[in-house]
Amino acid sequence: MLSPLRFCVPFAAILLLTFFGVAIARAQADIPTPEEIVSRLLPDEKAEGIFKSWKGIGVERSEKADNKDIPSFTLYVTFEFNSSELTTDGELLLSQAGLALVDRKLNKYTFFLGGHTDAVGGDAYNVELSQRRAERVRNYLIDHFNIKANRLIARGYGESRLLISDDPEADANRRVEIKNIGPEDKP
């Protein structure tokens, strides 16, 4: 006779593996691929207005030289509370973004890294923390993907540009935005 324990242990292991496999696949589905990031960071003459977030990417418009209105696609790289340490999701997104930024289609562009905090803490501290976050992203991209330093401009804004102004202490406010700001200026 088969013991119920002999049947339950493998069945429970299969259930756990299935659950974690689905959870991992679902988390990865929320992180855009490098190809998806490239397609959204490339200027698109047809893009208009402001769009909602898609897989961690927000879409905005920005004025450029030559009187061309080129869209700027924004990646929201997130951080731990009161820290310049990347969250797991932030690191995954930044790894995908790094692969996109070294793509031949994007290697002529300059990117702005805007650091932000939530509204917890004083103004001066938050500006300094947001600058550290922007520099953390810049250094990560330079160190891991060998991106030229002059293609990455880092600046901290503190809490002055909250992503979720209705909830100033929301986790999503702790972020670095990566924006395509146009072709690289060559000396």
Side-chain angles (χ1 to χ4, degrees):
M1 180 172 175
L2 289 176
S3 161
L5 185 59
R6 288 180 70 192
F7 174 73
C8 289
V9 171
F11 183 71
I14 290 170
L15 281 177
L16 279 172
L17 288 173
T18 302
F19 171 78
F20 286 117
V22 168
I24 290 169
R26 189 168 181 185
Q28 289 175 337
D30 290 338
I31 301 292
T33 66
E35 294 79 16
E36 291 168 329
I37 294 171
V38 167
S39 71
R40 276 143 179 89
L41 285 172
L42 283 172
D44 180 359
E45 302 280 333
K46 299 177 233 166
E48 296 179 9
I50 297 175
F51 302 88
K52 291 189 176 183
S53 179
W54 171 86
K55 286 189 171 185
I57 301 175
V59 182
E60 301 174 36
R61 302 285 284 174
S62 63
E63 294 295 324
K64 294 290 173 202
D66 316 328
N67 295 324
K68 287 186 179 178
D69 192 22
I70 299 174
S72 174
F73 296 92
T74 304
L75 301 172
Y76 296 108
V77 180
T78 55
F79 293 84
E80 298 294 339
F81 176 74
N82 195 29
S83 170
S84 60
E85 290 303 312
L86 293 161
T87 63
T88 302
D89 286 346
E91 196 163 328
L92 285 171
L93 180 59
L94 200 51
S95 292
Q96 297 295 83
L99 291 172
L101 295 181
V102 296
D103 186 280
R104 66 176 176 76
K105 295 175 187 170
L106 292 178
N107 66 8
K108 68 178 181 180
Y109 293 101
T110 300
F111 296 90
F112 182 79
L113 311 173
H116 303 275
T117 64
D118 57 27
V120 177
D123 290 341
Y125 176 77
N126 283 340
V127 168
E128 182 269 329
L129 176 59
S130 64
Q131 182 67 37
R132 282 191 291 132
R133 288 176 174 169
E135 289 172 4
R136 172 77 167 102
V137 167
R138 183 174 187 269
N139 291 335
Y140 185 95
L141 293 170
I142 291 168
D143 294 344
H144 289 84
F145 297 95
N146 202 28
I147 296 172
K148 293 189 303 182
N150 66 331
R151 290 184 56 214
L152 303 171
I153 301 166
R155 179 171 177 208
Y157 289 101
E159 63 188 72
S160 65
R161 298 180 180 185
L162 296 172
L163 181 63
I164 304 174
S165 57
D166 292 346
D167 187 1
E169 296 180 9
D171 295 353
N173 290 317
R174 300 189 297 266
R175 69 203 190 280
V176 167
E177 299 171 313
I178 302 174
K179 295 183 180 184
N180 182 343
I181 57 173
E184 178 183 358
D185 291 329
K186 301 203 182 211

